[in-house]
Amino acid sequence: TDRKKLHTAPVGQAFRLRPFHVLVATGGGYAGYRKYEDYKLEQLEKRGIEVPVKLASEWEVALYKSVPTRLLSRAWGRLNQVELPTWLRKPVYSLYIWTFGVNMKEAAVEDLHHYRNLSEFFRRKLKPQVRPVCCVHSVISPSDGKILNFGQVKNCEVEQVKGVTYSLESFLGPRISTEEMHFSQAPPGNSFQQQLVTKEGNELYHCVIYLAPGDYHCFHSPTDWTVSHRRHFPGSLMSVNPGVARWIKELFCHNERVVLTGDWKHGFFSLTAVGATNVGSIRIYFDQDLHTNSPSYSKGSYNDFSFISNNKEGIPMRKGEHLGEFNLGSTIVLIFEAPKDFNFNLKAGQKIRFGEALGSL
């Protein structure tokens, strides 16, 4: 008679599963599993063991996309802008430096207390002398990073990593009208690739550079060129590390990206900044109208902006000039036209720094 009555709520009220929660939990768990698999592949590569390509199935890609990476990236961006107490700055930044191997001796300001928040720390500037720009070669690396792939574009396909490709037209979007371009009409061709080549005897080349979280986050102009057009593709924000790039075909076509197109002395030239998880913010310094990772977007949509209509000469960029920045590490893809005797001075997998040579004639 002295026992207390235990009042319990109905099971349906106490624990109610919603589809969104199931998707987040399942997708997040699977993303964690993929991270572990990527780590194992990296260890095998370091030991010189060639890893066979194993592409994700449609359901695996759909499951990965169920993770709300865009929402998480916006939350991460807001967190980065929160001002840290002075006493907390050094421990927080030191942990990041130790985790990702950041070389603060190259930073223009080495004092960690100077950076009020994580965003300022990620976007830190370098000392001018630590990244000399190569004057001999015509194309330099626009950023620090790792060379994933490079070479000629063949059959309208571009390689993400060895053995995994994506469609050139899906990546860049439909051909831009010649009225918006600075150079003349391309010779008639049967394929999208041939339409981009403006001069007879030239070829189309590509280079993919992966920026790790510990790399310098700004990117610069890789050559002397004129930017005529910007195309922004809203999209997913999946990880773009080499393990995921080897696993998901057309990963770069799924993700949000900003495509800058124009011309250089040999014809067509483009630089694409590809977004990734926690990299919802892609900034182009001369483009104040660009806003990435907005809360709402239509799948498969894109928006165009012409610099010819606002500035008749386009936006001239000098080799090595500041061009933009990422909120965290990501990927840059160069696709450009050049004569057949253009040669890359690279090896797949090598580390490269901004200002070093990519290739020349």
Side-chain angles (χ1 to χ4, degrees):
T1 57
D2 294 332
R3 290 179 182 174
K4 294 181 180 179
K5 292 183 179 179
L6 179 64
H7 297 276
T8 59
V11 174
Q13 295 179 13
F15 183 73
R16 182 180 298 172
L17 283 176
R18 292 183 173 87
F20 176 75
H21 297 154
V22 174
L23 285 174
V24 170
T26 308
Y30 193 72
Y33 165 74
R34 286 307 314 173
K35 286 285 187 182
Y36 174 68
E37 290 294 310
D38 295 340
Y39 171 77
K40 292 199 298 184
L41 290 176
E42 287 178 7
Q43 296 306 307
L44 290 174
E45 286 183 342
K46 287 180 180 179
R47 291 161 55 188
I49 301 174
E50 188 171 346
V51 182
V53 174
K54 184 180 178 182
L55 294 176
S57 61
E58 289 186 11
W59 72 264
E60 287 178 308
V61 176
L63 186 58
Y64 191 2
K65 282 187 171 183
S66 71
V67 181
T69 51
R70 293 179 63 84
L71 177 62
L72 292 172
S73 296
R74 284 194 295 274
W76 175 251
R78 292 191 181 96
L79 179 63
N80 288 347
Q81 294 173 4
V82 175
E83 185 169 345
L84 297 176
T86 305
W87 62 269
L88 189 58
R89 294 174 189 177
K90 188 170 182 179
V92 170
Y93 301 148
S94 296
L95 177 62
Y96 186 90
I97 290 168
W98 176 79
T99 303
F100 297 108
V102 179
N103 184 2
M104 283 303 293
K105 291 184 179 179
E106 296 180 336
V109 180
E110 296 184 40
D111 182 11
L112 297 180
H113 296 100
H114 170 80
Y115 303 100
R116 294 173 298 177
N117 52 46
L118 284 165
S119 182
E120 286 189 2
F121 177 72
F122 293 147
R123 295 181 288 108
R124 64 193 176 277
K125 304 302 181 184
L126 298 181
K127 295 172 183 173
Q129 66 272 19
V130 299
R131 294 290 188 277
V133 175
C134 176
C135 299
V136 178
H137 294 79
S138 55
V139 184
I140 62 168
S141 176
S143 66
D144 290 7
K146 178 181 180 181
I147 301 295
L148 294 189
N149 220 302
F150 62 91
Q152 283 190 16
V153 177
K154 297 180 180 178
N155 302 319
C156 296
E157 294 279 325
V158 185
E159 282 196 318
Q160 288 177 176
V161 292
K162 186 177 180 181
V164 182
T165 63
Y166 55 94
S167 163
L168 179 65
E169 186 169 6
S170 297
F171 181 68
L172 294 179
R175 174 93 168 105
I176 301 165
S177 63
T178 53
E179 289 78 10
E180 297 183 52
M181 300 305 291
H182 192 64
F183 46 85
S184 60
Q185 172 92 33
N190 296 324
S191 69
F192 181 80
Q193 178 179 338
Q194 291 172 327
Q195 292 173 25
L196 294 180
V197 178
T198 64
K199 297 179 181 180
E200 188 175 352
N202 281 1
E203 298 286 349
L204 208 60
Y205 297 86
H206 73 98
C207 182
V208 183
I209 305 169
Y210 167 67
L211 289 75
D215 288 326
Y216 171 53
H217 287 26
C218 297
F219 51 93
H220 301 245
S221 176
T223 191
D224 295 334
W225 64 308
T226 300
V227 183
S228 305
H229 187 271
R230 178 259 290 159
R231 177 168 284 164
H232 172 218
F233 290 86
S236 301
L237 287 173
M238 294 183 283
S239 171
V240 293
N241 75 55
V244 177
R246 187 187 294 107
W247 178 57
I248 297 181
K249 183 177 174 63
E250 299 205 334
L251 170 64
F252 298 157
C253 298
H254 289 292
N255 272 16
E256 181 161 23
R257 58 198 182 278
V258 177
V259 182
L260 300 178
T261 55
D263 68 297
W264 70 319
K265 60 183 178 181
H266 299 297
F268 175 81
F269 199 97
S270 73
L271 179 149
T272 301
V274 183
T277 307
N278 294 335
V279 195
S281 173
I282 300 172
R283 183 182 174 195
I284 304 298
Y285 294 140
F286 58 74
D287 189 355
Q288 301 302 315
D289 295 320
L290 175 66
H291 300 286
T292 56
N293 194 14
S294 83
S296 60
Y297 75 99
S298 300
K299 184 178 179 181
S301 66
Y302 61 86
N303 57 76
D304 288 338
F305 186 86
S306 174
F307 298 109
I308 294 294
S309 60
N310 293 276
N311 183 334
K312 292 187 178 181
E313 298 299 321
I315 307 295
M317 297 297 301
R318 302 294 296 174
K319 183 168 65 174
E321 186 178 350
H322 278 84
L323 182 54
E325 62 189 38
F326 291 111
N327 191 48
L328 205 61
S330 193
T331 298
I332 289 178
V333 180
L334 301 179
I335 298 175
F336 57 93
E337 174 186 358
K340 291 183 178 179
D341 57 350
F342 182 88
N343 291 310
F344 285 101
N345 302 313
L346 302 171
K347 292 181 181 179
Q350 78 171 70
K351 293 287 291 182
I352 197 165
R353 304 202 305 176
F354 155 62
E356 294 180 345
L358 286 183
S360 190
L361 298 172

